[in-house]
Amino acid sequence: MQNMLERITAAEQQADQMLEQAGTQARELIARTKAEAETAVADAQADERSKTAEALVAAERQGEQEAAQILAEVRTEIEAVRAASMKKLPDAVSYLMERIETTL
């Protein structure tokens, strides 16, 4: 009977050790997994920041190109209006001179 009790006690101690080892391994696994997850999140955030910075640069470049195109179109329109005004200038001067001469 003593032998049986010793075997039961040894089995209980072995079970306790196994539970303790399993708990230790679980805590280590959780800590390692948490560290890996934090690293993955940090890497993802850095990657997204990089993508955002690249997108901002591309958007700024596109905005500058569109602004240059709009300015070129406006300058063309301004030049067309100026040219049309210059064509009408002699007629306007003649009209004003007639009006001045008729009032004097």
Side-chain angles (χ1 to χ4, degrees), residues 21-73:
Q21 286 176 347
T24 300
Q25 289 174 348
R27 284 189 294 278
E28 290 172 356
L29 179 60
I30 290 170
R32 190 170 52 246
T33 303
K34 182 179 177 185
E36 289 172 1
E38 289 172 352
T39 300
V41 167
D43 291 346
Q45 287 176 336
D47 187 44
E48 290 304 314
R49 278 192 209 99
S50 176
K51 288 178 184 178
T52 300
E54 290 171 8
L56 286 172
V57 168
E60 187 173 316
R61 195 174 314 124
Q62 181 181 355
E64 288 172 355
Q65 289 172 349
E66 289 178 10
Q69 181 181 353
I70 290 169
L71 283 173
E73 290 171 3

Side-chain angles (χ1 to χ4, degrees), residues 97-104:
M97 291 303 291
E98 282 180 31
R99 295 291 293 181
I100 291 171
E101 288 173 0
T102 57
T103 39
L104 291 177

